[in-house]
Amino acid sequence: MAKVGSPEELARIDYSPPKKSWMDIPPEFREGRWCYGSKAKDHAVVGLPNPRAWSPADEDWKLPDNWKEIFLEGMRERLHKYRSFQLFMDICVRCGACADKCHFFIGSGDPKNMPVLRAELLRSIYRGEFTTAGKIMGKLAGGRKLTYDVFKELFYYFFQCTECRRCSLFCPYGIDTAEVTMIGRELLNLLGCNIDWITGPVANCYRTGNHLGIQPHAYHSMLEFFCEEIEEITGILPEPSFNRKGAEILFITPSGDVFADPGTFTAMGYIMLFHYLEGLGLDLTWSTYASEGGNFGFFTSHEMAKRLNAKMYAEAERLGVKFIIGGECGHMWRVCNQYMDTFWEPPKSLETPVSPITGTRFEHAKEHKMIHICEFTADLIKHGKLNLDPSRNDPYRVTFHDSCNTARGMGFFEEPRYVLENIVNHFHEMPESTIREQTFCCGSGSGLNTDEFMDMRMRGALPRANAVQYVHDRHDVNLLSCICAIDRATLTTLTEYWVPDVEVSGVHELLGNALILEGEKKRTMNLRGEEFPWVEEEEEEEVEEAAEEVADEEAAGKAEGEE
Amino acid sequence: MMTIVFQLARALVPDSFMSLEKILQDKKPTILQGWFEAILETYPTDTRRFLKNKKDRFKNPVAHEISQGMEGIFDQVISGGSPDEISPFLERVVKVRAVQDFTPSKALAFIFELKSLVRAALAANLKEPQIHEDLLSLERKIDELGLLSLDLYMKCREKIYELRVNEVKNRVGRLLERANMICGIPEREGDPEVCTTDNLT
Ligand code: SF4
Ligand code: SF4
């Protein structure tokens, strides 16, 4: 007779997931874990394939009849074109070193978020469709055929990778799963399967110049608005110039800095810095045409990244500037530094960037002629060019989040820290294994910072949040600073869910607080318009002193009268 | 001297006269271990091995949050903590589970596992009337915990939706504050552009 379990055993509900091979478990498209599908109207604007109304939750994704052919042909072409891709398909030994390094796996526990399995999704198709062993032995040789379900699975998991490259840091072979994701997304794109939050900004950027479709006069008006706010805070009205031909420097920043808090406070910081430097010989212009530093084309295909990037050099050439300064942005920095001068020949008017204030020559930027504003500012501070009062940032206890693209992508660690050291009095690093090259992603990069993806984002955000929580508990840290526009938006959401007592800011917002402008009035509030906590105390003291004085005078008068 | 006598006396008192709290306190490591393993069961097999290793909170924040939360819940429950005292610990676990791949019932089922673990730990003492009675009230407490976790779970889910709304609003928040100046791409080709720029200041 079969053994019957005890009542407790019987009452116990078994929630263990089924024990099956990963190849046999298709993903479940549940809300919060996938992004909305790209819209036909946006496809049409930039000529992306297969414009149609569809949703990833639909049974039928309305793929063309020969979808398989298109996909495999695209794969063949890329295996040939990118040697790295071919290598990444061939050389993984499945050692597992990368497995537990991805924030999405760490936070979700979904094995297919292990980088090794994420890449294996495509690698198995490579084996099953392109290698002899895989074609013959199938599963036994780790190969499988491309089916409709497999295609959907690719979409699900390649839009669950933020291309952060943390996994590649730990791979003994240097396999970069972010690049596998990039190729994977390109292939999905060939069939018109992208996400709305990427193609929307791409189409807007292509048509209007920035992700949100903001027109030039609105862009201009927003910056004027910030100038008025600066005047309220400092008593000084900066007058930035726009689209000015003959300027020495062109400044380009992500549009998020201009339209969404808390990026807007960082934008105010830039304006104040440029105003301060005008007296020292800075000749800089903003552009309402190159009004987007970000590039969501980068999350679509190399080709699209190139198209959207075109306006930077085009505007630099039209205005005849000598070099470009980029605002605080992560993926913009990677695109501009790693790809821009291979996308396009820099215009002849551009030169190796030289700071007009300090004379420092930025040799490392001699090819692409563009520097990051943190490099520029760090150099100014190093040469003692900025008059700073860090105590204005005393209400903040600050830590710094290394953005994946600047840190891991570009090895850009010290400049922002150097700036911070000079503008805040309380700075505390998060643990070593969560910063610099090992930094944890915000969980929302590479175009995944859309609201319908919130569950997945919050899972991916946990490793970062956990380190923030640590410095919050230990050192009372209440401000998470960063140099990336996407981070400024997404970390705000991250902290609100995981560590609600911590706010988020850009580095140049804090610089704006600390920077002493010539002729400014006594500052009583920070760039957010929040009164400094000591102002009330000082006012009370002043009232008390005044009252004392009056009392003294009265007493003196009385004494005189008595005499 | 008094302390030694006291300790000696305690050591001599058989288990059967110990309070429920004391017994559970002594068996805390085993119960917590069992409880943690029970929650691990809800994750895919390949993931369990990773989650098991709790040594480094930065490498494995999920296990850290869950195990810390569970320990706090356990301590509070057996010492008669109020819902307000239990909530912060329960929230640590629920917050993680609320955004993972679980239905609400799956996310919260772990709480009821505590009942069978506690019963197993008390197997030898169950016949004692006092223990039996205390156990029943403890089990009621765990049921209440189940309800409390439901509230916390809902709070997390509401937060998620609130965050979604806030993000959408803030995306162009400053712009809308200034004026309505967005020029969108029309839904259908040929439709007029959706531009509202007349209230520019
Ligand atoms: S690139 Fe980042 S998100 Fe993608 S698999 Fe690697 S660690 Fe995960
Ligand atoms: S670390 Fe590299 S070789 Fe090892 S499993 Fe990951 S990708 Fe493959």
Side-chain angles (χ1 to χ4, degrees):
Chain A
M1 215 178 94
K3 194 175 163 271
V4 179
S6 69
E8 260 112 47
E9 274 170 337
L10 288 177
R12 215 173 133 183
I13 308 153
D14 183 13
Y15 281 131
S16 319
K19 291 182 186 67
K20 279 191 196 163
S21 151
W22 65 266
M23 283 196 201
D24 301 325
I25 309 172
E28 239 181 283
F29 279 74
R30 262 202 254 135
E31 207 195 326
R33 291 135 221 210
W34 51 275
C35 303
Y36 296 154
S38 46
K39 293 198 181 104
K41 60 169 183 147
D42 297 323
H43 278 234
V45 168
V46 279
L48 284 172
N50 199 13
R52 73 218 181 277
W54 74 292
S55 163
D58 293 344
E59 193 70 34
D60 179 6
W61 285 15
K62 299 180 189 155
L63 302 182
D65 292 340
N66 60 341
W67 68 271
K68 215 188 245 185
E69 221 175 283
I70 297 176
F71 187 99
L72 293 175
E73 194 40 47
M75 199 163 164
R76 191 187 320 277
E77 189 192 319
R78 282 161 183 79
L79 283 165
H80 185 71
K81 191 161 145 197
Y82 303 109
R83 195 172 142 63
S84 54
F85 181 46
Q86 172 79 58
L87 273 175
F88 296 165
M89 291 294 102
D90 279 327
I91 62 171
C92 171
V93 292
R94 291 192 243 181
C95 70
C98 62
D100 56 358
K101 304 304 186 296
C102 173
H103 50 282
F104 282 128
F105 172 68
I106 295 174
S108 73
D110 178 351
K112 285 185 204 166
N113 279 139
M114 292 178 187
V116 52
L117 263 195
R118 198 188 306 285
E120 199 68 16
L121 299 175
L122 201 55
R123 210 177 272 130
S124 55
I125 297 170
Y126 165 70
R127 290 200 203 98
E129 301 275 5
F130 292 89
T131 69
T132 319
K135 273 188 205 162
I136 298 168
M137 301 206 293
K139 246 188 191 178
L140 282 177
R144 62 174 173 171
K145 292 286 174 209
L146 176 65
T147 64
Y148 212 80
D149 279 344
V150 166
F151 179 79
K152 287 185 172 180
E153 185 180 47
L154 294 177
F155 177 90
Y156 190 75
Y157 286 104
F158 285 139
F159 287 104
Q160 278 189 8
C161 165
T162 47
E163 303 180 358
C164 78
R165 302 183 68 199
R166 189 167 195 268
C167 48
S168 74
L169 197 70
F170 299 89
C171 175
Y173 294 91
I175 293 176
D176 187 349
T177 303
E179 282 196 25
V180 177
T181 296
M182 286 177 192
I183 301 279
R185 287 193 188 181
E186 282 200 20
L187 296 171
L188 292 162
N189 247 297
L190 295 176
L191 296 158
C193 295
N194 205 320
I195 63 168
D196 180 43
W197 187 237
I198 292 180
T199 49
V202 161
N204 276 330
C205 197
Y206 181 71
R207 223 181 59 126
T208 327
N210 54 61
H211 291 160
L212 297 162
I214 315 284
Q215 298 182 96
H217 54 284
Y219 190 89
H220 179 254
S221 176
M222 279 313 295
L223 289 165
E224 270 189 344
F225 178 37
F226 296 157
C227 293
E228 287 159 21
E229 294 206 340
I230 292 169
E231 187 180 24
E232 215 165 283
I233 295 164
T234 66
I236 287 169
L237 181 69
E239 287 173 12
S241 74
F242 295 90
N243 309 331
R244 183 163 51 83
K245 284 193 176 170
E248 186 183 1
I249 303 166
L250 167 64
F251 180 67
I252 304 176
T253 200
S255 63
D257 283 352
V258 183
F259 301 108
D261 291 344
T264 49
F265 308 119
T266 302
M268 286 164 73
Y270 305 146
I271 296 174
M272 290 164 77
L273 175 68
F274 300 151
H275 173 84
Y276 177 101
L277 296 174
E278 264 166 30
L280 299 175
L282 185 80
D283 178 16
L284 173 143
T285 184
W286 295 66
S287 164
T288 57
Y289 167 65
S291 57
E292 181 61 75
N295 187 334
F296 274 32
F298 189 49
F299 310 136
T300 307
S301 66
H302 289 86
E303 170 60 24
M304 191 59 76
K306 179 176 171 175
R307 270 167 85 187
L308 297 187
N309 173 260
K311 63 181 180 295
M312 290 199 179
Y313 278 159
E315 183 67 336
E317 185 168 31
R318 188 180 75 88
L319 299 177
V321 300
K322 287 194 184 146
F323 68 98
I324 309 171
I325 296 182
E328 291 185 14
C329 184
H331 76 278
M332 159 189 182
W333 193 234
R334 188 147 141 211
V335 171
C336 294
N337 276 264
Q338 284 189 332
Y339 299 91
M340 186 160 69
D341 63 328
T342 57
F343 285 161
W344 312 102
E345 178 88 11
K348 295 277 174 290
S349 66
L350 290 185
E351 297 171 5
T352 301
V354 175
S355 169
I357 320 293
T358 65
T360 299
R361 211 178 141 78
F362 296 94
E363 277 298 333
H364 62 283
K366 71 169 185 259
E367 296 299 334
H368 58 288
K369 332 279 188 200
M370 180 164 182
I371 56 170
H372 192 285
I373 188 151
C374 280
E375 294 176 283
F376 181 67
T377 305
D379 174 65
L380 291 167
I381 296 176
K382 183 95 187 158
H383 285 86
K385 298 289 179 192
L386 300 184
N387 196 3
L388 300 164
D389 177 4
S391 75
R392 289 177 189 164
N393 283 317
D394 276 355
Y396 293 130
R397 300 177 70 83
V398 185
T399 192
F400 179 68
H401 162 75
D402 289 274
S403 306
C404 306
N405 283 306
T406 48
R408 215 163 13 246
M410 306 304 305
F412 196 75
F413 310 127
E414 301 310 330
E415 291 84 347
R417 287 183 167 80
Y418 181 75
V419 175
L420 283 169
E421 259 168 43
N422 285 281
I423 57 176
V424 303
N425 285 325
H426 312 291
F427 181 77
H428 301 277
E429 287 280 16
M430 285 181 275
E432 204 52 43
S433 60
T434 70
I435 54 168
R436 295 177 188 263
E437 64 268 38
Q438 293 191 56
T439 188
F440 275 116
C441 180
C442 63
S444 308
S446 78
L448 303 185
N449 51 326
T450 175
D451 68 285
E452 71 270 17
F453 196 55
M454 198 55 87
D455 286 35
M456 202 63 207
R457 287 173 53 191
M458 288 304 108
R459 295 176 198 180
L462 177 58
R464 169 41 78 225
N466 170 58
V468 176
Q469 180 79 54
Y470 179 80
V471 280
H472 172 65
D473 292 344
R474 209 153 260 232
H475 305 291
D476 243 346
V477 161
N478 59 6
L479 190 76
L480 176 59
S481 63
C482 62
I483 53 168
C484 167
I486 289 183
D487 279 338
R488 276 189 282 282
T490 61
L491 291 176
T492 304
T493 308
L494 171 154
T495 54
E496 227 184 304
Y497 187 76
W498 291 111
V499 209
D501 296 327
V502 176
E503 285 185 280
V504 176
S505 85
V507 167
H508 279 76
E509 174 187 342
L510 299 174
L511 182 95
N513 282 336
L515 192 65
I516 303 171
L517 300 178
E518 204 173 300
E520 70 176 19
K521 68 178 185 192
K522 186 171 184 306
R523 297 247 198 127
T524 56
M525 54 180 127
N526 62 21
L527 296 195
R528 300 185 179 204
E530 298 159 347
E531 198 169 79
F532 294 130
W534 51 84
V535 169
E536 206 176 321
E537 260 168 50
E538 280 175 2
E539 274 171 4
E540 271 169 24
E541 267 169 37
E542 274 167 27
V543 172
E544 266 169 38
E545 270 169 32
E548 266 169 37
E549 262 172 42
V550 173
D552 285 350
E553 272 168 26
E554 272 175 14
K558 219 173 170 189
E560 257 173 40
E562 274 168 15
E563 267 172 28
Chain B
M1 184 62 192
M2 271 311 281
T3 347
I4 296 172
V5 172
F6 185 67
Q7 278 179 356
L8 207 69
R10 280 196 74 164
L12 292 174
V13 175
D15 246 14
S16 52
F17 294 130
M18 280 161 71
S19 72
L20 181 91
E21 184 182 347
K22 173 75 177 83
I23 303 173
L24 293 180
Q25 197 56 262
D26 285 352
K27 302 207 165 152
K28 179 175 156 179
T30 325
I31 298 175
L32 282 182
Q33 183 62 26
W35 203 15
F36 185 69
E37 273 165 21
I39 210 168
L40 282 192
E41 290 283 310
T42 59
Y43 292 91
T45 332
D46 295 329
T47 311
R48 284 178 217 160
R49 218 173 324 126
F50 161 71
L51 286 179
K52 233 179 201 152
N53 185 354
K54 296 180 275 186
K55 262 185 251 139
D56 185 337
R57 69 174 273 186
F58 302 110
K59 286 192 178 137
N60 190 358
V62 169
H64 175 78
E65 284 304 293
I66 290 179
S67 55
Q68 294 284 305
M70 280 181 156
E71 185 170 354
I73 300 168
F74 181 82
D75 289 343
Q76 289 297 332
V77 167
I78 64 165
S79 65
S82 68
D84 280 352
E85 286 166 315
I86 302 176
S87 278
F89 298 105
L90 188 54
E91 195 173 355
R92 286 180 77 166
V93 187
V94 172
K95 228 179 189 180
V96 172
R97 308 272 295 172
V99 291
Q100 289 184 327
D101 249 334
F102 302 111
T103 57
S105 61
K106 277 189 191 175
L108 303 177
F110 76 95
I111 289 168
F112 303 102
E113 296 285 345
L114 188 55
K115 277 191 189 175
S116 46
L117 287 161
V118 165
R119 266 188 182 258
L122 293 171
N125 312 70
L126 275 180
K127 297 226 164 62
E128 293 158 36
Q130 189 56 43
I131 294 286
H132 189 77
E133 202 173 298
D134 289 351
L135 175 65
L136 290 182
S137 80
L138 186 84
E139 286 188 336
R140 261 196 307 279
K141 206 146 192 183
I142 297 177
D143 288 337
E144 281 166 23
L145 212 62
L147 295 175
L148 184 62
S149 72
L150 204 63
D151 289 346
L152 292 171
Y153 183 89
M154 277 312 290
K155 200 173 110 186
C156 292
R157 295 308 308 170
E158 277 164 13
K159 186 82 206 167
I160 291 288
Y161 285 100
E162 184 192 319
L163 292 172
R164 289 184 58 174
V165 173
N166 287 351
E167 271 197 359
V168 174
K169 280 189 188 158
N170 184 42
R171 212 166 272 162
V172 285
R174 277 303 190 103
L175 192 66
L176 297 176
E177 195 183 311
R178 175 77 163 156
N180 203 2
M181 296 181 291
I182 303 173
C183 195
I185 295 165
E187 282 298 332
R188 280 184 306 269
E189 213 179 318
D191 279 1
E193 286 190 347
V194 202
C195 298
T196 32
T197 51
D198 31 62
N199 50 349
L200 270 182
T201 46

